[in-house]
Amino acid sequence: MELGPMFKGYADPSRHANALYIGGRWEEGGGIPVRDPSTGGILGEVPDAGVPEAKRAVEAAAAAADGWRRTPARQRSEILRRWFELMTAHAEELALLISLENGKALPDARGEVAYAAEFFRWYAEEATRVPGEFRMSPSGAHNILVDHEPIGIAVLITPWNFPAAMATRKIGPALAAGCTVILKPASETPLTAYAMARLGAEAGVPDGVVNVLTTSDPGGVTAAMLADPRVRKLSFTGSTGVGRVLLAEAAKSVVSCSMELGGNAPFLVFDDADLEAALDGAMLAKMRNAGEACTAANRFYVQSGIHDAFVEGLTRRMAALKVGPGYGEGVQCGPMITEKAVDKIERLVSDAKERGARATTGGARIEGEGYYYPPTVLENVSPDAPIAREEIFGPVAPVYRFETEDEAIAMANDTEFGLAAYVYSQDLKRAIRVGRGIESGMIGINRGLMSDPAAPFGGTKQSGLGREGGVHGILEFMEAKYYAAEF
Ligand code: NAP
């Protein structure tokens, strides 16, 4: 596929194709095509690793493990810091590469690179601040000492929707904790992962500390890695269905799991909300990444008094968005990741329409090359429609009406997921009260964007186990060790 002159340096996909990264060496191979979702064209191929390569990656991570855990925290910190600086120096090239293989609009891709790099800076700082304890037992008879040690080799599996950030959110804390890792990125967006590995090597990450492999047999390859007793951690971000399969696999060797899974975020707007602020927040919560985010607002619950004005304002804003190739001039909404993703959105929208919903803008797929669905607002949506239960993962905003606070909380909680929720009200007391009533790991109050490397990210219910980011993230890669001491 012919690419424009802007795809040079790290943005050039041919630099990152055709090689696995194991033990600091690039091993040539192919077999998995990578597409540009803006056109459907093939950008190149990445290697299709099997069980032998997976075993070699574990060997490489094991060979590097002792040296890395003994490397002083300050030194590990400085390597992470250099990785942050290199990502920042190459931010525009990385953003173009992300936009090319993922399809997201360039402003979103730039935002992702900044967010992703920040995990390296944050964990460069946290590496030197691992907590410990030294205290008397309640009886006063002896001492309790608690230290934290790196948990062991970590397998990291990431999705396609944030190819850089989901990787750094795991690699940053793992390396800061003193663990060596094997990263398996999503097959749709592996080029960014390989580009990041190159930058890591340049930053001084020793051979074998970070290994990257791609495969068309993720189940077999992951099972082989988890079966090795030296692998002690599985950190996964992806769908709840695959998360359940992996939890069962990890149970066989009692591997510690962190699971960042699916979401179905409610977005509540009360009559007393600032309408313009709620609309700004709604656009962010819905349209970052064209709706392909686990925190994306999936259900808009709007109180009767503000409902019509909200629908009218949201429709105007959604209809004004420019749709096109993610890297196109002025584009705000790129393509979906695959044709299958567009098919799913189409099914959810047609089903909602059959149950009485009306599209105030959009509502039908865009035909032609690439995988496009237009920004869509649906009103009068039945709460029984599948669109209220499943992750839409696209630029569609279904709006539901509510009357009372209790009703809104009940509707928000009517889901198996519990990742993110948004509340708009100028009454802070109410916003906190509603937040307390919602079963969710994260609540945005008068904010449409909650991701922050310094904050604990994660879900409850079927949305996952554990937290990434903040002071919590590093402990997911550590084991507490207690010394019962008499002196
Ligand atoms: P997915 O299908 O679950 O895939 C995620 C990753 O798991 C990919 O690398 C995939 O590899 C791999 N995988 C698939 N089957 C596997 C198996 N049997 N064993 C081991 N690995 C396997 O999810 P996705 O479609 O890429 O991502 C979208 C989902 O991720 C959504 O549900 C979204 O909500 C969730 N997500 C959650 C968060 C969060 O922080 N909670 C953040 C972002 C996304 P292949 O690509 O090779 O199939």
Side-chain angles (χ1 to χ4, degrees):
M1 180 185 152
E2 278 297 304
L3 290 171
M6 62 194 187
F7 293 99
K8 54 183 192 289
Y10 279 86
D12 177 357
S14 67
R15 258 185 97 172
H16 316 299
N18 301 108
L20 297 170
Y21 188 58
I22 298 178
R25 282 205 307 277
W26 294 93
E27 298 185 9
E28 288 197 6
I32 303 179
V34 184
R35 286 180 189 278
D36 170 3
S38 294
T39 62
I42 291 182
L43 295 168
E45 284 190 8
V46 290
D48 187 357
V51 169
E53 287 79 12
K55 287 188 171 168
R56 270 196 293 110
V58 174
E59 285 307 328
D66 203 43
W68 185 244
R69 73 184 281 155
R70 286 172 197 280
T71 301
R74 174 63 70 207
Q75 220 171 308
R76 282 189 260 120
S77 159
E78 279 165 3
I79 291 172
L80 281 171
R81 172 76 199 200
R82 274 201 296 279
W83 206 347
F84 157 76
E85 280 160 7
L86 282 170
M87 277 189 75
T88 307
H90 293 282
E92 191 60 16
E93 293 156 61
L94 289 172
L96 279 161
L97 184 65
I98 291 173
S99 181
L100 193 58
E101 65 173 351
N102 167 280
K104 68 179 70 179
L106 255 184
D108 283 335
R110 291 185 183 119
E112 178 181 347
V113 175
Y115 174 54
E118 203 56 51
F119 282 103
F120 287 156
R121 176 154 68 173
W122 175 261
Y123 283 108
E125 290 158 357
E126 288 302 290
T128 58
R129 291 186 201 135
V130 172
E133 291 171 43
F134 177 25
R135 60 191 167 87
M136 293 290 274
S137 70
S139 68
H142 42 258
N143 301 293
I144 293 172
L145 279 73
V146 182
D147 194 11
H148 290 94
E149 295 185 347
I151 195 166
I153 297 173
V155 170
L156 317 176
I157 303 179
T158 51
W160 49 264
N161 63 342
F162 289 92
M166 296 303 96
T168 60
R169 202 164 78 176
K170 298 183 189 307
I171 296 171
L175 265 55
C179 298
T180 57
V181 306
I182 301 140
L183 170 68
K184 196 221 78 64
S187 301
E188 290 90 350
T189 56
L191 302 174
T192 304
Y194 286 123
M196 304 270 293
R198 281 185 196 281
L199 287 172
E202 225 181 289
V205 175
D207 293 351
V209 169
V210 173
N211 306 278
V212 185
L213 52 81
T214 35
T215 176
S216 64
D217 175 22
V221 157
T222 308
M225 293 192 283
L226 294 180
D228 189 307
R230 294 168 295 183
V231 171
R232 298 312 308 144
K233 182 78 197 181
L234 171 63
S235 179
F236 171 75
T237 298
S239 60
T240 298
V242 172
R244 287 190 188 114
V245 169
L246 288 173
L247 281 167
E249 194 61 49
K252 292 181 189 164
S253 21
V254 194
V255 169
S256 162
C257 290
S258 296
M259 294 273 146
E260 297 286 349
L261 308 178
N264 183 3
F267 189 106
L268 277 53
V269 185
F270 287 89
D271 282 347
D272 63 5
D274 174 330
L275 178 63
E276 287 306 309
L279 288 168
D280 288 346
M283 291 302 289
L284 260 179
K286 180 74 254 180
M287 292 307 294
R288 190 166 65 115
N289 264 11
E292 293 177 316
C294 52
T295 50
N298 212 52
R299 299 168 289 148
F300 287 87
Y301 295 118
V302 187
Q303 205 165 14
S304 271
I306 200 171
H307 175 276
D308 292 355
F310 182 86
V311 170
E312 199 258 322
L314 191 61
T315 302
R316 208 166 355 94
R317 287 172 187 236
M318 292 283 270
L321 292 179
K322 182 171 174 187
V323 181
Y327 41 83
E329 182 71 31
V331 167
Q332 294 157 300
C333 177
M336 302 293 96
I337 189 73
T338 54
E339 186 149 18
K340 211 168 124 205
V342 180
D343 293 344
K344 178 185 177 185
I345 299 167
E346 188 172 46
R347 168 177 65 79
L348 290 174
V349 171
S350 348
D351 184 278
K353 283 187 185 160
E354 276 164 28
R355 293 166 197 252
R358 189 177 77 85
T360 58
T361 183
R365 76 191 295 153
I366 300 171
E367 302 293 347
E369 72 167 17
Y371 316 129
Y372 295 94
Y373 200 91
T376 296
V377 177
L378 296 175
E379 65 171 357
N380 195 35
V381 187
S382 159
D384 302 327
I387 202 166
R389 313 230 155 259
E390 295 179 38
E391 270 187 301
I392 303 168
F393 245 60
V396 179
V399 184
Y400 310 79
R401 189 188 287 269
F402 74 86
E403 303 295 336
T404 68
E405 195 176 298
D406 287 347
E407 191 192 348
I409 294 172
M411 288 169 108
N413 287 338
D414 186 17
T415 169
E416 62 171 350
F417 297 106
L419 185 63
Y422 304 86
V423 181
Y424 271 80
S425 165
Q426 293 193 76
D427 176 351
L428 190 57
K429 250 180 163 169
R430 162 188 264 171
I432 297 284
R433 187 170 65 234
V434 170
R436 290 209 165 109
I438 295 178
E439 300 153 350
S440 174
M442 299 177 286
I443 310 278
I445 293 181
N446 296 322
R447 283 209 57 186
L449 179 67
M450 51 185 53
S451 303
D452 186 329
F457 188 106
T460 59
K461 293 159 79 175
Q462 302 298 304
S463 289
L465 301 168
R467 294 293 179 270
E468 291 189 319
V471 294
H472 306 69
I474 193 167
L475 294 178
E476 301 267 332
F477 291 93
M478 303 197 92
E479 203 81 85
K481 186 181 267 182
Y482 155 52
Y483 297 83
E486 203 67 66
F487 47 78

